[in-house]
Amino acid sequence: MSEEQVDRKDKNCLLKFTEDDVLLKFRPDSNPDLMEIENFLEKNNIMDADYEKIINELKSQSKEWFKIAENINLPSEDDQVEIEVSNDKLKVLLDFTPGRDGKEINFEDLKKMLAAKKISFGIKDDKIKRVLKNRQPVSKEIIAEGEKATPGEDGYLIYHFEEKENNIGTLREDGTMDFHSKNLINNVRRGEKIVTVVDPTPGEAGTDVFGEEIKPPAPKSVKLPRAKNTVKKDKSVYAAKDGQIVRDGKKISINPIYQVNGDVDLEEGNIDFVGSVKINGDLREGFIVKASGDVEVAGNVGAAKIESGGSVLIKKGFLGRNKGEITAKGDVNARFVENAEIKANNVRVHEAVMHSQVTAKDSVIVSGGKGLIVGGRVMAQNIIEANMIGSSLATKTYIEIGLEPELRKNFKAAKDELETVEDNLDKVNKSVDLLNSMKDKGIKLPANKKEMFSKLKVTRDELEKRKAELDSEIEELEEQLTASDEAVIKVNKCIFPGVQLLSSKDKMIIRNRIAKCAFSEVNKELRQKTN
């Protein structure tokens, strides 16, 4: 259209003035109504248009120029220019209406008009020249444009832990689902970094069309969250305790105790926690609780497993069904134990230990209520005390003091390793002696023998160091395996026939019911003494 003469235009029509005629043409793909055409012509001072012809041309959908009026001598019109600045001062908008036989605006005129408005930045000279050259009406044409300010980046927090979502279980390697293991606890160790703050990044200034600086919006800062059981250092938060990390919105806490409000069952799943665990219900069969600290169960423990770095308290009973196990570095306390296995420092049971395997580094005490030990095997380094041991049915019951099977196992392993180390050391020494004798005789060792000699000396040093370590370990284990003078089996009421008593050096089978008695090792023999 720019190559064709057009004197006036709108969205629907084009208008052209010749020396004698006024011509009209419809824009392609336009569909004007008569009212719109009339408004357009009146705006351009065409008052005597041939509307009958216009109607006919509309009906025929004409695409050619056609005469609508005589071109009479109209008064001249100057070019009309309006300059508008956008509210954000980033754009200058031009409205240009070319005149007829009047004053024409040139490039210098328009530049002066911009200067008068103090518009100095981002002026699009080429576009202005093109508009003035084409002399076609334009509306809201952008002829100057500023540069926006570039926003900076707000500060933010980096959380160095994974927030675990609830799930039905853990997928095993074989593709099956372990519904007991849900892996829901976020464990954190003391000194571990949990949150870091990243400072905001400043933005870059812009320039408006008046050449003025546009300051970027100030980026937002964030603060390190308030966090219980944590310490702040530099721009990070660190755990001050082992425990479970919990995030509630922006607030973070580290709980050294993991609480289960009900039972440990399929809804809760297995527990593996770096602090202490408190279960307000039962620990159901088949589940596992691991804790670096203490474990407390308000109800019963079924055929489950507990591993504790501290002590275990079961306020009711431990019904192991020959599958339940407790291993604790501290003490184990329970109301009763049945068909279960316990390994701990001290074991305290109120009512009874029945058909169970109990091993204590120090003592086993069953002296409340019935205070019964019957069936199974109970072992302690120093003291085993009960009201009654065995039963009138001569149930096989083994009571051991002054030894610890784990120590014996470690002792045997250390002795076996020492034998191997001494054998290898003997072989290495013989090889070293042989090579030394060759050197003493002036025999020059070949390169491979020199390398072997060097390696043999290193191996010898390592074997001698390990031998010294094993000698010390065996000596310490031998001391521990020797029962102390105070190791004792104490019976407050009676012991029944069929009970076997064992010490580190002797054993005794009870043949008759004995009331209120005690047994200890004297001169490597188990003897009864007055209780």
PDB file of all heavy atoms in Angstrom, residues 126-147:
ATOM      1  N   ASP A 126      15.536   6.581  12.182  1.00  0.00           N
ATOM      2  CA  ASP A 126      15.153   5.934  10.916  1.00  0.00           C
ATOM      3  C   ASP A 126      13.649   5.791  10.799  1.00  0.00           C
ATOM      4  O   ASP A 126      13.072   5.982   9.712  1.00  0.00           O
ATOM      5  CB  ASP A 126      15.823   4.562  10.805  1.00  0.00           C
ATOM      6  CG  ASP A 126      17.329   4.676  10.598  1.00  0.00           C
ATOM      7  OD1 ASP A 126      17.779   5.777  10.239  1.00  0.00           O
ATOM      8  OD2 ASP A 126      18.043   3.669  10.822  1.00  0.00           O
ATOM      9  N   LYS A 127      12.989   5.462  11.890  1.00  0.00           N
ATOM     10  CA  LYS A 127      11.531   5.289  11.846  1.00  0.00           C
ATOM     11  C   LYS A 127      10.844   6.625  11.606  1.00  0.00           C
ATOM     12  O   LYS A 127       9.874   6.722  10.839  1.00  0.00           O
ATOM     13  CB  LYS A 127      11.034   4.647  13.136  1.00  0.00           C
ATOM     14  CG  LYS A 127       9.536   4.402  13.143  1.00  0.00           C
ATOM     15  CD  LYS A 127       9.056   3.706  14.394  1.00  0.00           C
ATOM     16  CE  LYS A 127       9.322   2.219  14.333  1.00  0.00           C
ATOM     17  NZ  LYS A 127       8.635   1.497  15.437  1.00  0.00           N
ATOM     18  N   ILE A 128      11.352   7.688  12.261  1.00  0.00           N
ATOM     19  CA  ILE A 128      10.759   9.013  12.080  1.00  0.00           C
ATOM     20  C   ILE A 128      10.880   9.439  10.614  1.00  0.00           C
ATOM     21  O   ILE A 128       9.915   9.932   9.996  1.00  0.00           O
ATOM     22  CB  ILE A 128      11.460  10.035  12.996  1.00  0.00           C
ATOM     23  CG1 ILE A 128      11.151   9.723  14.467  1.00  0.00           C
ATOM     24  CG2 ILE A 128      11.012  11.458  12.651  1.00  0.00           C
ATOM     25  CD1 ILE A 128      11.957  10.553  15.452  1.00  0.00           C
ATOM     26  N   LYS A 129      12.057   9.244  10.038  1.00  0.00           N
ATOM     27  CA  LYS A 129      12.279   9.620   8.635  1.00  0.00           C
ATOM     28  C   LYS A 129      11.346   8.833   7.715  1.00  0.00           C
ATOM     29  O   LYS A 129      10.806   9.382   6.740  1.00  0.00           O
ATOM     30  CB  LYS A 129      13.732   9.370   8.255  1.00  0.00           C
ATOM     31  CG  LYS A 129      14.700  10.352   8.904  1.00  0.00           C
ATOM     32  CD  LYS A 129      16.149   9.983   8.569  1.00  0.00           C
ATOM     33  CE  LYS A 129      17.124  10.957   9.240  1.00  0.00           C
ATOM     34  NZ  LYS A 129      18.535  10.587   8.963  1.00  0.00           N
ATOM     35  N   ARG A 130      11.158   7.565   8.006  1.00  0.00           N
ATOM     36  CA  ARG A 130      10.305   6.725   7.157  1.00  0.00           C
ATOM     37  C   ARG A 130       8.846   7.184   7.205  1.00  0.00           C
ATOM     38  O   ARG A 130       8.161   7.252   6.174  1.00  0.00           O
ATOM     39  CB  ARG A 130      10.419   5.269   7.590  1.00  0.00           C
ATOM     40  CG  ARG A 130       9.702   4.295   6.674  1.00  0.00           C
ATOM     41  CD  ARG A 130      10.131   2.865   6.916  1.00  0.00           C
ATOM     42  NE  ARG A 130       9.817   2.409   8.276  1.00  0.00           N
ATOM     43  CZ  ARG A 130      10.722   2.185   9.204  1.00  0.00           C
ATOM     44  NH1 ARG A 130      12.020   2.397   8.949  1.00  0.00           N
ATOM     45  NH2 ARG A 130      10.356   1.781  10.409  1.00  0.00           N
ATOM     46  N   VAL A 131       8.356   7.525   8.409  1.00  0.00           N
ATOM     47  CA  VAL A 131       6.972   7.998   8.553  1.00  0.00           C
ATOM     48  C   VAL A 131       6.770   9.304   7.766  1.00  0.00           C
ATOM     49  O   VAL A 131       5.775   9.465   7.037  1.00  0.00           O
ATOM     50  CB  VAL A 131       6.620   8.195  10.038  1.00  0.00           C
ATOM     51  CG1 VAL A 131       5.301   8.949  10.190  1.00  0.00           C
ATOM     52  CG2 VAL A 131       6.528   6.854  10.743  1.00  0.00           C
ATOM     53  N   LEU A 132       7.720  10.228   7.904  1.00  0.00           N
ATOM     54  CA  LEU A 132       7.581  11.524   7.228  1.00  0.00           C
ATOM     55  C   LEU A 132       7.709  11.387   5.714  1.00  0.00           C
ATOM     56  O   LEU A 132       7.057  12.125   4.959  1.00  0.00           O
ATOM     57  CB  LEU A 132       8.631  12.506   7.765  1.00  0.00           C
ATOM     58  CG  LEU A 132       8.480  12.879   9.257  1.00  0.00           C
ATOM     59  CD1 LEU A 132       9.618  13.787   9.681  1.00  0.00           C
ATOM     60  CD2 LEU A 132       7.133  13.541   9.519  1.00  0.00           C
ATOM     61  N   LYS A 133       8.529  10.452   5.291  1.00  0.00           N
ATOM     62  CA  LYS A 133       8.695  10.241   3.850  1.00  0.00           C
ATOM     63  C   LYS A 133       7.454   9.605   3.234  1.00  0.00           C
ATOM     64  O   LYS A 133       6.993  10.011   2.156  1.00  0.00           O
ATOM     65  CB  LYS A 133       9.918   9.371   3.597  1.00  0.00           C
ATOM     66  CG  LYS A 133      10.170   9.099   2.124  1.00  0.00           C
ATOM     67  CD  LYS A 133      11.388   8.195   1.925  1.00  0.00           C
ATOM     68  CE  LYS A 133      11.600   7.897   0.455  1.00  0.00           C
ATOM     69  NZ  LYS A 133      12.740   6.971   0.245  1.00  0.00           N
ATOM     70  N   ASN A 134       6.887   8.621   3.904  1.00  0.00           N
ATOM     71  CA  ASN A 134       5.708   7.924   3.358  1.00  0.00           C
ATOM     72  C   ASN A 134       4.467   8.791   3.390  1.00  0.00           C
ATOM     73  O   ASN A 134       3.546   8.608   2.591  1.00  0.00           O
ATOM     74  CB  ASN A 134       5.434   6.648   4.161  1.00  0.00           C
ATOM     75  CG  ASN A 134       6.504   5.594   3.936  1.00  0.00           C
ATOM     76  OD1 ASN A 134       7.219   5.631   2.933  1.00  0.00           O
ATOM     77  ND2 ASN A 134       6.604   4.661   4.875  1.00  0.00           N
ATOM     78  N   ARG A 135       4.427   9.727   4.336  1.00  0.00           N
ATOM     79  CA  ARG A 135       3.302  10.637   4.485  1.00  0.00           C
ATOM     80  C   ARG A 135       1.970   9.883   4.542  1.00  0.00           C
ATOM     81  O   ARG A 135       0.997  10.225   3.881  1.00  0.00           O
ATOM     82  CB  ARG A 135       3.278  11.688   3.355  1.00  0.00           C
ATOM     83  CG  ARG A 135       4.519  12.599   3.385  1.00  0.00           C
ATOM     84  CD  ARG A 135       4.326  13.831   2.537  1.00  0.00           C
ATOM     85  NE  ARG A 135       3.167  14.627   2.891  1.00  0.00           N
ATOM     86  CZ  ARG A 135       3.066  15.411   3.966  1.00  0.00           C
ATOM     87  NH1 ARG A 135       4.103  15.514   4.815  1.00  0.00           N
ATOM     88  NH2 ARG A 135       1.959  16.103   4.192  1.00  0.00           N
ATOM     89  N   GLN A 136       1.990   8.845   5.324  1.00  0.00           N
ATOM     90  CA  GLN A 136       0.765   8.101   5.612  1.00  0.00           C
ATOM     91  C   GLN A 136       0.406   8.320   7.079  1.00  0.00           C
ATOM     92  O   GLN A 136       1.287   8.418   7.931  1.00  0.00           O
ATOM     93  CB  GLN A 136       0.971   6.612   5.344  1.00  0.00           C
ATOM     94  CG  GLN A 136       1.335   6.264   3.915  1.00  0.00           C
ATOM     95  CD  GLN A 136       0.232   6.672   2.942  1.00  0.00           C
ATOM     96  OE1 GLN A 136      -0.945   6.608   3.256  1.00  0.00           O
ATOM     97  NE2 GLN A 136       0.640   7.130   1.756  1.00  0.00           N
ATOM     98  N   PRO A 137      -0.899   8.387   7.372  1.00  0.00           N
ATOM     99  CA  PRO A 137      -1.286   8.579   8.771  1.00  0.00           C
ATOM    100  C   PRO A 137      -0.789   7.414   9.632  1.00  0.00           C
ATOM    101  O   PRO A 137      -0.860   6.255   9.222  1.00  0.00           O
ATOM    102  CB  PRO A 137      -2.819   8.599   8.724  1.00  0.00           C
ATOM    103  CG  PRO A 137      -3.160   8.918   7.307  1.00  0.00           C
ATOM    104  CD  PRO A 137      -2.085   8.309   6.473  1.00  0.00           C
ATOM    105  N   VAL A 138      -0.282   7.737  10.811  1.00  0.00           N
ATOM    106  CA  VAL A 138       0.112   6.709  11.778  1.00  0.00           C
ATOM    107  C   VAL A 138      -0.460   7.082  13.136  1.00  0.00           C
ATOM    108  O   VAL A 138      -0.696   8.265  13.428  1.00  0.00           O
ATOM    109  CB  VAL A 138       1.639   6.547  11.879  1.00  0.00           C
ATOM    110  CG1 VAL A 138       2.232   6.064  10.577  1.00  0.00           C
ATOM    111  CG2 VAL A 138       2.301   7.845  12.330  1.00  0.00           C
ATOM    112  N   SER A 139      -0.701   6.062  13.970  1.00  0.00           N
ATOM    113  CA  SER A 139      -1.234   6.290  15.306  1.00  0.00           C
ATOM    114  C   SER A 139      -0.446   5.457  16.305  1.00  0.00           C
ATOM    115  O   SER A 139      -0.213   4.270  16.081  1.00  0.00           O
ATOM    116  CB  SER A 139      -2.716   5.912  15.354  1.00  0.00           C
ATOM    117  OG  SER A 139      -3.234   6.071  16.655  1.00  0.00           O
ATOM    118  N   LYS A 140      -0.035   6.106  17.375  1.00  0.00           N
ATOM    119  CA  LYS A 140       0.689   5.452  18.464  1.00  0.00           C
ATOM    120  C   LYS A 140       1.953   4.736  17.968  1.00  0.00           C
ATOM    121  O   LYS A 140       2.315   3.671  18.449  1.00  0.00           O
ATOM    122  CB  LYS A 140      -0.196   4.455  19.202  1.00  0.00           C
ATOM    123  CG  LYS A 140      -1.531   5.007  19.675  1.00  0.00           C
ATOM    124  CD  LYS A 140      -1.363   6.151  20.652  1.00  0.00           C
ATOM    125  CE  LYS A 140      -2.715   6.672  21.150  1.00  0.00           C
ATOM    126  NZ  LYS A 140      -2.597   7.879  21.994  1.00  0.00           N
ATOM    127  N   GLU A 141       2.612   5.357  17.001  1.00  0.00           N
ATOM    128  CA  GLU A 141       3.863   4.795  16.484  1.00  0.00           C
ATOM    129  C   GLU A 141       4.984   5.098  17.478  1.00  0.00           C
ATOM    130  O   GLU A 141       5.155   6.237  17.914  1.00  0.00           O
ATOM    131  CB  GLU A 141       4.189   5.405  15.128  1.00  0.00           C
ATOM    132  CG  GLU A 141       5.350   4.778  14.422  1.00  0.00           C
ATOM    133  CD  GLU A 141       4.963   3.480  13.719  1.00  0.00           C
ATOM    134  OE1 GLU A 141       3.756   3.228  13.538  1.00  0.00           O
ATOM    135  OE2 GLU A 141       5.874   2.725  13.364  1.00  0.00           O
ATOM    136  N   ILE A 142       5.756   4.048  17.852  1.00  0.00           N
ATOM    137  CA  ILE A 142       6.840   4.233  18.812  1.00  0.00           C
ATOM    138  C   ILE A 142       8.040   4.836  18.095  1.00  0.00           C
ATOM    139  O   ILE A 142       8.629   4.210  17.203  1.00  0.00           O
ATOM    140  CB  ILE A 142       7.229   2.902  19.468  1.00  0.00           C
ATOM    141  CG1 ILE A 142       6.042   2.324  20.239  1.00  0.00           C
ATOM    142  CG2 ILE A 142       8.411   3.088  20.422  1.00  0.00           C
ATOM    143  CD1 ILE A 142       6.278   0.921  20.775  1.00  0.00           C
ATOM    144  N   ILE A 143       8.415   6.063  18.495  1.00  0.00           N
ATOM    145  CA  ILE A 143       9.549   6.728  17.830  1.00  0.00           C
ATOM    146  C   ILE A 143      10.723   6.950  18.787  1.00  0.00           C
ATOM    147  O   ILE A 143      11.769   7.469  18.371  1.00  0.00           O
ATOM    148  CB  ILE A 143       9.113   8.067  17.211  1.00  0.00           C
ATOM    149  CG1 ILE A 143       8.551   9.005  18.280  1.00  0.00           C
ATOM    150  CG2 ILE A 143       8.107   7.838  16.083  1.00  0.00           C
ATOM    151  CD1 ILE A 143       8.345  10.433  17.781  1.00  0.00           C
ATOM    152  N   ALA A 144      10.556   6.585  20.028  1.00  0.00           N
ATOM    153  CA  ALA A 144      11.671   6.618  20.994  1.00  0.00           C
ATOM    154  C   ALA A 144      11.353   5.607  22.091  1.00  0.00           C
ATOM    155  O   ALA A 144      10.192   5.422  22.456  1.00  0.00           O
ATOM    156  CB  ALA A 144      11.870   8.011  21.578  1.00  0.00           C
ATOM    157  N   GLU A 145      12.416   4.954  22.574  1.00  0.00           N
ATOM    158  CA  GLU A 145      12.188   3.899  23.570  1.00  0.00           C
ATOM    159  C   GLU A 145      13.359   3.855  24.536  1.00  0.00           C
ATOM    160  O   GLU A 145      14.521   3.821  24.123  1.00  0.00           O
ATOM    161  CB  GLU A 145      12.029   2.547  22.868  1.00  0.00           C
ATOM    162  CG  GLU A 145      11.412   1.486  23.735  1.00  0.00           C
ATOM    163  CD  GLU A 145      10.933   0.299  22.901  1.00  0.00           C
ATOM    164  OE1 GLU A 145      11.241   0.229  21.694  1.00  0.00           O
ATOM    165  OE2 GLU A 145      10.251  -0.571  23.488  1.00  0.00           O
ATOM    166  N   GLY A 146      13.036   3.893  25.827  1.00  0.00           N
ATOM    167  CA  GLY A 146      14.065   3.809  26.863  1.00  0.00           C
ATOM    168  C   GLY A 146      14.466   2.367  27.143  1.00  0.00           C
ATOM    169  O   GLY A 146      13.991   1.433  26.496  1.00  0.00           O
ATOM    170  N   GLU A 147      15.335   2.202  28.113  1.00  0.00           N
ATOM    171  CA  GLU A 147      15.778   0.867  28.531  1.00  0.00           C
ATOM    172  C   GLU A 147      15.269   0.592  29.932  1.00  0.00           C
ATOM    173  O   GLU A 147      15.506   1.383  30.859  1.00  0.00           O
ATOM    174  CB  GLU A 147      17.314   0.781  28.516  1.00  0.00           C
ATOM    175  CG  GLU A 147      17.915   0.827  27.128  1.00  0.00           C
ATOM    176  CD  GLU A 147      19.438   0.724  27.151  1.00  0.00           C
ATOM    177  OE1 GLU A 147      20.009   0.704  28.272  1.00  0.00           O
ATOM    178  OE2 GLU A 147      20.049   0.677  26.070  1.00  0.00           O
TER     179      GLU A 147
END
